[in-house]
Coordinates of all heavy atoms in Angstrom, one line a residue:
M1 N 9.8 35.3 -98.3 CA 10.3 34.5 -97.4 C 11.7 35.1 -96.8 O 12.5 35.4 -97.7 CB 10.4 33.1 -97.9 CG 11.0 32.1 -96.9 SD 11.3 30.6 -97.8 CE 11.1 29.3 -96.7
Q2 N 11.9 35.1 -95.6 CA 13.1 35.6 -95.0 C 14.2 34.6 -95.2 O 14.0 33.4 -94.9 CB 12.8 35.9 -93.6 CG 14.0 36.6 -93.0 CD 13.9 37.0 -91.4 OE1 13.0 36.5 -90.8 NE2 14.7 37.8 -90.9
W3 N 15.4 35.0 -95.5 CA 16.6 34.1 -95.7 C 17.3 34.1 -94.3 O 17.4 35.1 -93.6 CB 17.5 34.8 -96.8 CG 18.9 34.1 -96.9 CD1 19.1 32.8 -97.4 CD2 20.0 34.6 -96.3 NE1 20.5 32.6 -97.2 CE2 21.0 33.6 -96.6 CE3 20.4 35.8 -95.6 CZ2 22.4 33.9 -96.2 CZ3 21.7 36.0 -95.3 CH2 22.7 35.0 -95.6
K4 N 17.6 32.8 -93.9 CA 18.3 32.7 -92.6 C 19.7 31.8 -92.8 O 19.5 30.7 -93.1 CB 17.4 32.0 -91.6 CG 16.2 32.9 -91.3 CD 15.3 32.2 -90.3 CE 14.1 33.1 -90.1 NZ 13.2 32.5 -89.1
P5 N 20.8 32.4 -92.6 CA 22.1 31.7 -92.8 C 22.3 30.9 -91.5 O 21.6 31.1 -90.5 CB 23.1 32.8 -92.8 CG 22.4 34.0 -92.0 CD 21.0 33.9 -92.3
N6 N 23.2 29.9 -91.6 CA 23.6 29.2 -90.5 C 24.6 30.0 -89.8 O 25.7 30.4 -90.4 CB 24.2 27.8 -90.9 CG 23.1 26.8 -91.2 OD1 21.9 27.2 -91.4 ND2 23.4 25.6 -91.5
V7 N 24.5 30.2 -88.5 CA 25.6 31.1 -87.7 C 26.6 30.1 -87.1 O 26.2 29.1 -86.5 CB 24.8 31.9 -86.6 CG1 25.8 32.7 -85.8 CG2 23.8 32.8 -87.3
V8 N 27.8 30.5 -87.4 CA 29.0 29.7 -86.9 C 29.9 30.7 -86.2 O 30.0 31.9 -86.4 CB 29.8 29.2 -88.1 CG1 31.0 28.4 -87.6 CG2 28.9 28.2 -88.8
V9 N 30.6 30.2 -85.1 CA 31.5 31.0 -84.3 C 32.8 30.2 -84.4 O 32.9 28.9 -84.6 CB 31.2 31.1 -82.9 CG1 29.9 31.9 -82.6 CG2 31.0 29.7 -82.1
A10 N 33.9 31.0 -84.4 CA 35.3 30.4 -84.5 C 36.2 31.1 -83.7 O 36.0 32.3 -83.3 CB 35.7 30.4 -85.9
A11 N 37.3 30.5 -83.4 CA 38.4 31.1 -82.5 C 39.7 31.0 -83.1 O 40.1 29.9 -83.6 CB 38.3 30.5 -81.1
I12 N 40.4 32.1 -82.9 CA 41.9 32.2 -83.3 C 42.6 32.3 -81.9 O 42.4 33.3 -81.1 CB 42.2 33.4 -84.1 CG1 41.6 33.2 -85.5 CG2 43.8 33.5 -84.3 CD1 41.7 34.4 -86.4
I13 N 43.4 31.3 -81.5 CA 44.0 31.4 -80.1 C 45.6 31.2 -80.4 O 46.0 30.0 -80.9 CB 43.5 30.2 -79.4 CG1 42.0 30.3 -79.3 CG2 44.2 30.2 -78.0 CD1 41.2 29.0 -78.8
R14 N 46.3 32.2 -80.1 CA 47.8 32.2 -80.1 C 48.3 32.2 -78.8 O 48.0 33.1 -78.0 CB 48.3 33.3 -81.0 CG 49.8 33.3 -81.2 CD 50.2 34.5 -82.0 NE 51.7 34.6 -82.0 CZ 52.2 35.7 -82.4 NH1 51.6 36.8 -82.7 NH2 53.6 35.7 -82.3
Q15 N 49.3 31.3 -78.5 CA 50.0 31.3 -77.2 C 51.4 30.8 -77.4 O 51.6 29.7 -78.0 CB 49.1 30.3 -76.3 CG 49.7 30.3 -74.9 CD 48.8 29.5 -73.8 OE1 47.6 29.3 -74.2 NE2 49.3 29.1 -72.7
N16 N 52.4 31.5 -76.9 CA 53.8 31.1 -77.0 C 54.2 30.9 -78.4 O 54.8 29.9 -78.8 CB 54.1 29.9 -76.2 CG 53.8 30.1 -74.7 OD1 53.9 31.2 -74.2 ND2 53.3 29.1 -74.1
D17 N 53.7 31.9 -79.3 CA 53.9 31.8 -80.8 C 53.5 30.5 -81.5 O 54.0 30.1 -82.5 CB 55.4 31.9 -81.1 CG 55.9 33.4 -80.8 OD1 55.1 34.3 -81.0 OD2 57.0 33.6 -80.3
K18 N 52.4 29.8 -80.9 CA 51.8 28.7 -81.5 C 50.4 28.9 -81.5 O 49.8 29.7 -80.8 CB 52.1 27.4 -80.7 CG 53.6 27.0 -80.8 CD 53.8 25.8 -80.0 CE 55.3 25.4 -80.0 NZ 55.6 24.2 -79.3
Y19 N 49.6 28.3 -82.5 CA 48.2 28.5 -82.6 C 47.5 27.1 -82.2 O 48.0 26.0 -82.5 CB 47.8 28.7 -84.1 CG 48.2 30.2 -84.4 CD1 49.5 30.4 -85.0 CD2 47.3 31.3 -84.2 CE1 49.8 31.7 -85.3 CE2 47.7 32.6 -84.5 CZ 48.9 32.7 -85.1 OH 49.3 34.0 -85.4
L20 N 46.5 27.3 -81.5 CA 45.6 26.0 -81.1 C 44.7 25.7 -82.3 O 43.8 26.6 -82.6 CB 44.8 26.4 -79.8 CG 43.9 25.3 -79.2 CD1 44.9 24.1 -78.8 CD2 43.1 25.8 -78.1
L21 N 44.8 24.5 -82.8 CA 44.0 24.0 -83.8 C 43.4 22.7 -83.5 O 43.9 22.0 -82.6 CB 45.0 23.9 -85.2 CG 45.6 25.1 -85.6 CD1 46.5 24.8 -86.8 CD2 44.6 26.1 -86.1
V22 N 42.4 22.2 -84.3 CA 41.7 20.9 -84.0 C 42.0 20.2 -85.4 O 42.1 20.8 -86.5 CB 40.3 21.1 -83.7 CG1 40.2 21.7 -82.4 CG2 39.5 21.8 -84.7
E23 N 42.1 18.9 -85.1 CA 42.3 18.0 -86.3 C 40.9 17.4 -86.7 O 40.1 16.9 -85.7 CB 43.2 16.8 -85.9 CG 43.8 16.1 -87.0 CD 44.9 15.1 -86.5 OE1 44.4 13.9 -86.2 OE2 46.0 15.5 -86.5
E24 N 40.5 17.5 -87.9 CA 39.1 17.1 -88.3 C 39.1 16.2 -89.5 O 40.2 16.3 -90.3 CB 38.2 18.2 -88.6 CG 38.0 19.2 -87.4 CD 37.2 20.4 -87.7 OE1 37.1 20.9 -88.9 OE2 36.5 20.9 -86.7
H25 N 38.1 15.5 -89.8 CA 38.0 14.7 -91.0 C 37.2 15.6 -92.0 O 36.1 16.0 -91.7 CB 37.2 13.4 -90.7 CG 38.1 12.4 -90.0 ND1 39.0 11.6 -90.6 CD2 38.2 12.1 -88.6 CE1 39.6 10.8 -89.7 NE2 39.1 11.2 -88.6
A26 N 37.7 15.8 -93.2 CA 37.0 16.6 -94.3 C 36.0 15.6 -94.8 O 36.1 14.5 -94.7 CB 38.1 17.1 -95.2
D27 N 35.1 16.2 -95.6 CA 34.1 15.5 -96.3 C 34.7 14.4 -97.3 O 34.1 13.4 -97.6 CB 33.2 16.4 -97.2 CG 32.3 17.3 -96.3 OD1 32.1 17.0 -95.2 OD2 31.9 18.4 -96.8
D28 N 35.9 14.7 -97.8 CA 36.6 13.7 -98.7 C 37.3 12.7 -97.9 O 38.0 11.8 -98.6 CB 37.5 14.4 -99.7 CG 38.7 15.1 -99.0 OD1 38.8 15.0 -97.8 OD2 39.5 15.7 -99.8
G29 N 37.2 12.7 -96.7 CA 38.0 11.6 -95.8 C 39.3 12.0 -95.4 O 39.9 11.3 -94.5
S30 N 39.9 13.1 -95.9 CA 41.2 13.5 -95.5 C 41.1 14.1 -94.1 O 40.1 14.6 -93.6 CB 41.8 14.5 -96.5 OG 41.0 15.7 -96.6
I31 N 42.3 14.2 -93.5 CA 42.4 14.9 -92.3 C 42.9 16.3 -92.4 O 43.9 16.5 -93.1 CB 43.3 14.1 -91.3 CG1 42.7 12.7 -91.0 CG2 43.5 14.9 -90.0 CD1 43.5 11.8 -90.0
V32 N 42.3 17.4 -91.8 CA 42.6 18.8 -92.0 C 42.8 19.3 -90.6 O 42.2 19.0 -89.6 CB 41.6 19.5 -92.8 CG1 41.5 19.0 -94.3 CG2 40.2 19.5 -92.2
L33 N 43.6 20.5 -90.6 CA 43.6 21.3 -89.4 C 42.7 22.5 -89.5 O 42.6 23.1 -90.6 CB 45.0 21.7 -89.1 CG 46.1 20.6 -88.9 CD1 47.5 21.3 -88.8 CD2 45.7 19.9 -87.6
N34 N 41.9 22.8 -88.5 CA 41.0 23.9 -88.5 C 41.1 24.6 -87.2 O 41.6 24.2 -86.2 CB 39.6 23.4 -88.7 CG 38.7 24.4 -89.3 OD1 39.0 25.5 -89.5 ND2 37.5 23.9 -89.6
Q35 N 40.5 25.8 -87.2 CA 40.2 26.5 -86.0 C 39.2 25.8 -85.1 O 38.3 25.2 -85.7 CB 39.6 27.9 -86.3 CG 40.4 28.8 -87.1 CD 39.6 30.0 -87.7 OE1 39.1 29.9 -88.7 NE2 39.4 31.0 -86.8
P36 N 39.1 25.9 -83.9 CA 38.0 25.6 -83.1 C 36.8 26.4 -83.5 O 37.0 27.5 -83.6 CB 38.4 25.8 -81.6 CG 39.9 26.0 -81.6 CD 40.3 26.4 -83.0
A37 N 35.6 25.6 -83.9 CA 34.5 26.3 -84.4 C 33.3 25.5 -84.3 O 33.5 24.3 -84.2 CB 34.8 26.8 -85.8
G38 N 32.2 26.1 -84.5 CA 31.0 25.3 -84.4 C 29.7 26.3 -84.5 O 29.9 27.4 -84.6
H39 N 28.6 25.6 -84.4 CA 27.3 26.4 -84.7 C 26.7 27.0 -83.4 O 26.9 26.5 -82.3 CB 26.2 25.4 -85.2 CG 26.6 24.9 -86.6 ND1 26.3 25.6 -87.7 CD2 27.3 23.8 -87.0 CE1 26.7 24.9 -88.7 NE2 27.3 23.8 -88.3
L40 N 26.1 28.2 -83.6 CA 25.5 28.9 -82.5 C 24.2 28.0 -82.2 O 23.5 27.6 -83.0 CB 25.1 30.2 -83.0 CG 24.2 31.1 -82.0 CD1 25.1 31.6 -80.9 CD2 23.7 32.3 -82.8
E41 N 24.0 27.8 -80.9 CA 22.8 27.1 -80.4 C 21.7 28.1 -80.0 O 21.9 29.2 -79.7 CB 23.1 26.1 -79.3 CG 24.0 25.1 -79.7 CD 24.4 24.1 -78.6 OE1 24.0 24.2 -77.5 OE2 25.2 23.1 -78.9
K42 N 20.5 27.6 -80.1 CA 19.3 28.3 -79.6 C 19.5 29.0 -78.2 O 20.0 28.4 -77.3 CB 18.0 27.5 -79.6 CG 16.7 28.3 -79.4 CD 15.5 27.5 -79.4 CE 14.4 28.4 -79.2 NZ 13.2 27.7 -78.8
D43 N 19.2 30.3 -78.1 CA 19.2 31.0 -76.9 C 20.6 31.2 -76.3 O 20.8 31.3 -75.2 CB 18.3 30.4 -75.8 CG 16.9 30.4 -76.2 OD1 16.4 31.3 -76.8 OD2 16.1 29.4 -75.8
E44 N 21.7 31.1 -77.2 CA 23.0 31.2 -76.8 C 23.6 32.6 -77.4 O 23.3 32.9 -78.5 CB 23.8 30.1 -77.3 CG 25.2 29.8 -76.8 CD 25.8 28.6 -77.4 OE1 25.7 28.3 -78.5 OE2 26.5 27.9 -76.5
S45 N 24.4 33.2 -76.7 CA 25.1 34.4 -77.2 C 26.2 34.0 -78.0 O 26.8 32.9 -77.8 CB 25.6 35.3 -76.0 OG 26.7 34.8 -75.4
L46 N 26.7 34.9 -78.8 CA 27.9 34.5 -79.7 C 29.1 34.2 -78.8 O 29.9 33.2 -79.0 CB 28.3 35.7 -80.6 CG 27.3 35.9 -81.7 CD1 27.6 37.2 -82.5 CD2 27.3 34.7 -82.7
L47 N 29.3 35.0 -77.6 CA 30.5 34.7 -76.8 C 30.4 33.4 -76.1 O 31.4 32.8 -75.9 CB 30.6 35.9 -75.8 CG 31.1 37.3 -76.4 CD1 31.1 38.4 -75.4 CD2 32.4 37.1 -77.1
D48 N 29.1 33.1 -75.6 CA 28.9 31.8 -74.9 C 29.1 30.7 -75.9 O 29.8 29.7 -75.5 CB 27.6 31.7 -74.4 CG 27.4 32.6 -73.1 OD1 28.4 33.0 -72.5 OD2 26.2 32.8 -72.7
A49 N 28.8 30.9 -77.1 CA 29.0 29.8 -78.2 C 30.4 29.6 -78.4 O 30.8 28.4 -78.5 CB 28.2 30.2 -79.4
V50 N 31.3 30.7 -78.6 CA 32.6 30.4 -79.0 C 33.4 29.8 -77.8 O 34.3 29.0 -77.9 CB 33.3 31.7 -79.5 CG1 33.6 32.7 -78.4 CG2 34.6 31.3 -80.2
K51 N 33.0 30.2 -76.6 CA 33.6 29.5 -75.4 C 33.3 28.1 -75.3 O 34.1 27.3 -75.0 CB 33.2 30.3 -74.1 CG 33.7 31.7 -73.9 CD 33.0 32.3 -72.6 CE 33.4 33.7 -72.5 NZ 32.7 34.3 -71.3
R52 N 32.0 27.8 -75.4 CA 31.6 26.4 -75.4 C 32.3 25.5 -76.5 O 32.8 24.4 -76.3 CB 30.1 26.3 -75.7 CG 29.5 24.9 -75.6 CD 28.2 24.8 -76.0 NE 27.6 25.6 -77.2 CZ 27.9 25.2 -78.4 NH1 28.4 24.1 -78.8 NH2 27.4 26.0 -79.4
E53 N 32.3 26.0 -77.8 CA 32.9 25.3 -78.8 C 34.4 25.1 -78.6 O 34.9 24.0 -78.7 CB 32.8 26.0 -80.2 CG 31.3 25.9 -80.7 CD 30.9 24.5 -81.1 OE1 31.8 23.7 -81.3 OE2 29.7 24.3 -81.4
V54 N 35.1 26.0 -78.1 CA 36.6 25.8 -77.8 C 36.7 24.8 -76.7 O 37.6 23.9 -76.8 CB 37.3 27.2 -77.4 CG1 38.7 26.9 -76.9 CG2 37.3 28.1 -78.6
L55 N 35.8 24.8 -75.7 CA 35.9 23.9 -74.6 C 35.6 22.4 -75.1 O 36.3 21.5 -74.8 CB 35.1 24.3 -73.5 CG 35.0 23.4 -72.2 CD1 36.5 23.4 -71.6 CD2 34.0 23.9 -71.2
E56 N 34.5 22.4 -75.9 CA 34.2 21.1 -76.3 C 35.2 20.5 -77.3 O 35.5 19.2 -77.2 CB 32.8 21.1 -77.2 CG 31.6 21.3 -76.4 CD 30.4 21.5 -77.1 OE1 30.5 21.5 -78.4 OE2 29.3 21.7 -76.5
E57 N 35.9 21.2 -78.1 CA 36.8 20.7 -79.1 C 38.2 20.6 -78.6 O 39.0 19.8 -79.2 CB 36.7 21.5 -80.4 CG 35.4 21.5 -81.1 CD 35.4 22.2 -82.4 OE1 36.4 22.7 -82.9 OE2 34.3 22.1 -83.1
T58 N 38.6 21.4 -77.6 CA 40.1 21.3 -77.2 C 40.3 21.1 -75.7 O 41.4 20.9 -75.3 CB 40.6 22.7 -77.5 OG1 40.1 23.7 -76.6 CG2 40.5 23.1 -78.9
A59 N 39.1 21.2 -74.9 CA 39.4 21.1 -73.4 C 40.0 22.2 -72.8 O 40.4 22.1 -71.6 CB 40.0 19.7 -73.0
W60 N 40.1 23.4 -73.5 CA 40.7 24.6 -73.0 C 39.5 25.6 -72.7 O 38.6 25.7 -73.5 CB 41.7 25.2 -73.9 CG 43.0 24.5 -74.0 CD1 43.4 23.6 -74.8 CD2 44.1 24.8 -73.0 NE1 44.7 23.2 -74.5 CE2 45.2 23.9 -73.3 CE3 44.2 25.7 -71.9 CZ2 46.3 24.0 -72.8 CZ3 45.4 25.7 -71.3 CH2 46.5 24.8 -71.7
H61 N 39.5 26.3 -71.6 CA 38.7 27.4 -71.3 C 39.2 28.7 -72.0 O 40.4 29.0 -71.9 CB 38.6 27.7 -69.8 CG 37.9 26.5 -69.1 ND1 36.6 26.5 -69.0 CD2 38.5 25.6 -68.4 CE1 36.4 25.4 -68.2 NE2 37.5 24.8 -67.9
F62 N 38.3 29.3 -72.9 CA 38.6 30.4 -73.8 C 38.2 31.7 -73.3 O 37.0 31.7 -72.9 CB 38.1 30.0 -75.2 CG 38.4 31.1 -76.3 CD1 39.7 31.4 -76.7 CD2 37.3 31.7 -76.9 CE1 39.9 32.4 -77.6 CE2 37.5 32.6 -77.8 CZ 38.8 33.0 -78.2
N63 N 39.0 32.7 -73.4 CA 38.7 34.1 -73.1 C 38.6 34.8 -74.3 O 39.8 35.3 -74.8 CB 39.6 34.6 -72.0 CG 39.3 36.1 -71.7 OD1 38.2 36.4 -71.6 ND2 40.3 36.9 -71.4
P64 N 37.4 35.1 -74.9 CA 37.5 36.0 -76.1 C 37.8 37.4 -75.8 O 37.3 38.0 -74.8 CB 36.0 35.9 -76.7 CG 35.3 35.1 -75.6 CD 36.2 34.7 -74.6
E65 N 38.7 38.0 -76.6 CA 39.2 39.4 -76.3 C 38.8 40.3 -77.4 O 38.8 41.5 -77.1 CB 40.7 39.3 -76.2 CG 41.2 38.5 -75.0 CD 42.7 38.1 -75.0 OE1 43.4 38.7 -75.9 OE2 43.1 37.3 -74.2
G66 N 38.4 39.9 -78.5 CA 37.8 40.7 -79.6 C 37.4 40.0 -80.7 O 37.5 38.7 -80.8
L67 N 36.7 40.7 -81.7 CA 36.2 40.1 -82.9 C 37.1 40.3 -84.0 O 37.5 41.5 -84.4 CB 34.8 40.8 -83.2 CG 34.1 40.2 -84.4 CD1 33.6 38.8 -84.2 CD2 32.8 41.1 -84.7
T68 N 37.5 39.3 -84.7 CA 38.5 39.5 -85.8 C 37.7 39.9 -87.0 O 38.1 40.7 -87.8 CB 39.1 38.1 -86.1 OG1 39.9 37.7 -84.9 CG2 40.1 38.2 -87.2
G69 N 36.5 39.3 -87.3 CA 35.7 39.6 -88.4 C 34.4 38.8 -88.4 O 34.2 37.8 -87.7
V70 N 33.6 39.3 -89.4 CA 32.3 38.6 -89.6 C 32.4 38.2 -91.2 O 32.7 39.0 -92.0 CB 31.1 39.5 -89.4 CG1 29.9 38.8 -89.8 CG2 31.2 39.9 -88.0
Y71 N 32.2 37.0 -91.5 CA 32.3 36.4 -92.9 C 31.1 35.7 -93.4 O 30.5 34.9 -92.6 CB 33.6 35.5 -92.9 CG 34.8 36.1 -92.3 CD1 35.1 35.9 -91.0 CD2 35.6 36.9 -92.9 CE1 36.1 36.4 -90.3 CE2 36.8 37.5 -92.4 CZ 37.0 37.3 -91.1 OH 38.1 37.8 -90.5
L72 N 30.7 35.9 -94.6 CA 29.6 35.2 -95.2 C 30.1 34.3 -96.2 O 30.9 34.7 -97.1 CB 28.7 36.3 -95.8 CG 27.3 35.9 -96.3 CD1 26.5 35.4 -95.0 CD2 26.6 37.0 -97.0
H73 N 29.8 33.0 -96.1 CA 30.4 32.0 -97.0 C 29.2 31.1 -97.5 O 28.7 30.3 -96.9 CB 31.3 31.1 -96.4 CG 31.8 30.0 -97.1 ND1 32.5 30.1 -98.3 CD2 31.5 28.6 -97.0 CE1 32.8 28.8 -98.8 NE2 32.2 28.0 -98.0
P74 N 28.8 31.4 -98.8 CA 27.8 30.4 -99.4 C 28.6 29.2 -100.0 O 29.6 29.3 -100.7 CB 27.3 31.2 -100.6 CG 28.3 32.3 -100.9 CD 29.1 32.5 -99.7
D75 N 28.2 28.0 -99.4 CA 29.0 26.7 -99.8 C 28.2 26.1 -100.9 O 27.1 25.6 -100.7 CB 28.9 25.8 -98.5 CG 29.9 24.6 -98.7 OD1 30.1 24.3 -99.9 OD2 30.2 24.0 -97.7
P76 N 28.9 26.2 -102.1 CA 28.3 25.6 -103.3 C 28.1 24.1 -103.2 O 27.2 23.5 -103.9 CB 29.2 26.0 -104.4 CG 30.5 26.3 -103.7 CD 30.2 26.7 -102.4
S77 N 28.8 23.4 -102.4 CA 28.7 21.9 -102.3 C 27.4 21.5 -101.7 O 26.9 20.4 -102.0 CB 29.9 21.3 -101.6 OG 29.8 21.6 -100.2
N78 N 26.8 22.4 -100.7 CA 25.6 21.9 -100.1 C 24.5 23.0 -100.1 O 23.4 22.7 -99.6 CB 25.9 21.6 -98.6 CG 26.5 22.7 -97.8 OD1 26.4 23.8 -98.2 ND2 27.1 22.3 -96.7
G79 N 24.8 24.2 -100.7 CA 23.8 25.1 -100.8 C 23.5 26.0 -99.5 O 22.6 26.8 -99.5
I80 N 24.3 25.6 -98.5 CA 24.1 26.3 -97.2 C 25.0 27.6 -97.2 O 26.2 27.6 -97.6 CB 24.4 25.4 -96.0 CG1 23.5 24.2 -96.0 CG2 24.4 26.2 -94.7 CD1 23.8 23.2 -95.0
T81 N 24.5 28.7 -96.6 CA 25.2 29.9 -96.5 C 25.6 30.1 -95.0 O 24.7 29.9 -94.1 CB 24.5 31.2 -96.9 OG1 24.3 31.0 -98.3 CG2 25.3 32.3 -96.7
Y82 N 26.9 30.3 -94.7 CA 27.3 30.3 -93.3 C 27.7 31.7 -93.0 O 28.4 32.4 -93.7 CB 28.6 29.4 -93.0 CG 28.2 28.0 -93.3 CD1 28.5 27.3 -94.4 CD2 27.6 27.2 -92.2 CE1 28.2 25.9 -94.7 CE2 27.4 25.8 -92.4 CZ 27.7 25.3 -93.6 OH 27.4 23.9 -93.9
L83 N 27.2 32.3 -91.8 CA 27.6 33.5 -91.3 C 28.5 33.3 -90.1 O 28.1 32.8 -89.1 CB 26.3 34.3 -90.9 CG 26.6 35.7 -90.3 CD1 27.3 36.7 -91.3 CD2 25.2 36.4 -89.9
R84 N 29.8 33.6 -90.4 CA 30.8 33.2 -89.3 C 31.4 34.4 -88.6 O 31.8 35.4 -89.1 CB 31.9 32.6 -90.1 CG 33.1 32.0 -89.3 CD 34.2 31.4 -90.3 NE 35.2 30.8 -89.6 CZ 35.4 29.4 -89.5 NH1 34.4 28.6 -89.9 NH2 36.3 29.0 -88.7
F85 N 31.3 34.3 -87.2 CA 31.9 35.3 -86.4 C 33.1 34.8 -85.8 O 33.1 33.7 -85.1 CB 30.8 35.6 -85.2 CG 29.6 36.2 -85.7 CD1 28.5 35.5 -86.3 CD2 29.4 37.6 -85.7 CE1 27.4 36.1 -86.6 CE2 28.3 38.2 -86.1 CZ 27.3 37.5 -86.6
C86 N 34.2 35.4 -86.1 CA 35.6 34.9 -85.7 C 36.2 35.8 -84.6 O 36.3 37.0 -84.8 CB 36.4 34.8 -86.9 SG 38.0 34.0 -86.5
F87 N 36.4 35.1 -83.4 CA 37.0 35.8 -82.3 C 38.4 35.5 -82.0 O 38.9 34.4 -82.5 CB 36.2 35.5 -81.0 CG 34.7 35.9 -81.1 CD1 33.8 35.1 -81.6 CD2 34.4 37.1 -80.5 CE1 32.5 35.4 -81.7 CE2 33.0 37.5 -80.6 CZ 32.1 36.7 -81.1
Y88 N 39.2 36.5 -81.5 CA 40.5 36.0 -81.1 C 40.6 36.1 -79.5 O 39.7 36.8 -78.9 CB 41.6 37.0 -81.7 CG 41.5 38.4 -81.2 CD1 42.2 38.8 -80.1 CD2 40.8 39.3 -82.0 CE1 42.2 40.2 -79.7 CE2 40.7 40.6 -81.5 CZ 41.4 41.1 -80.4 OH 41.4 42.4 -80.1
G89 N 41.5 35.4 -78.9 CA 41.6 35.6 -77.4 C 42.7 34.5 -76.9 O 43.5 34.1 -77.7
S90 N 42.5 34.2 -75.7 CA 43.5 33.4 -75.0 C 42.9 32.3 -74.3 O 41.7 32.3 -73.9 CB 44.4 34.1 -74.1 OG 43.7 34.8 -73.1
V91 N 43.6 31.2 -74.0 CA 43.1 30.1 -73.2 C 43.6 30.4 -71.8 O 44.7 30.8 -71.7 CB 43.5 28.8 -73.7 CG1 42.7 28.3 -75.0 CG2 45.0 28.7 -74.0
V92 N 42.7 30.1 -70.8 CA 43.0 30.4 -69.4 C 43.3 29.2 -68.6 O 44.1 29.3 -67.6 CB 42.0 31.3 -68.8 CG1 42.0 32.7 -69.5 CG2 40.7 30.6 -68.9
S93 N 42.7 28.1 -68.9 CA 43.0 26.8 -68.2 C 42.5 25.6 -68.9 O 41.7 25.8 -69.8 CB 42.3 26.9 -66.8 OG 40.9 26.9 -66.9
H94 N 43.0 24.5 -68.6 CA 42.7 23.3 -69.2 C 41.7 22.5 -68.4 O 42.0 22.4 -67.1 CB 44.0 22.5 -69.6 CG 43.9 21.4 -70.6 ND1 43.6 20.1 -70.2 CD2 43.7 21.4 -71.9 CE1 43.4 19.4 -71.3 NE2 43.6 20.2 -72.4
A95 N 40.7 22.0 -69.1 CA 39.7 21.3 -68.1 C 40.2 19.9 -67.8 O 41.0 19.3 -68.3 CB 38.4 21.2 -69.1

C-alpha cells in the first residue's frame, strides 16, 4: 500500500521588520501565533494553495518569491504525517 502524507503549505511574510502571523486556537484551547498555512486542495498547485491560504487567513494577497524548505512532520498525537512546503514572499495588497 502506498503511503500518502497530508500536504500543507505555509508562508513567511516579512514587511517593515515585522512578520505577518495568524492567531489560532491550539488543541489544548490556548491561543497561539502561527504562520498563515493550510492544506493543499485537489487539483491545486502549491503556489496557488499558499496564495489562497494567506488570503483566506489574513485578507492579504501574497506574492511567493521562493521556497524556504520542505519539511516532514509525523504528528504523534494523531498519527498523521504532514509534508509542509514553506514559501517566503511579500504581500501586495489587502482585500
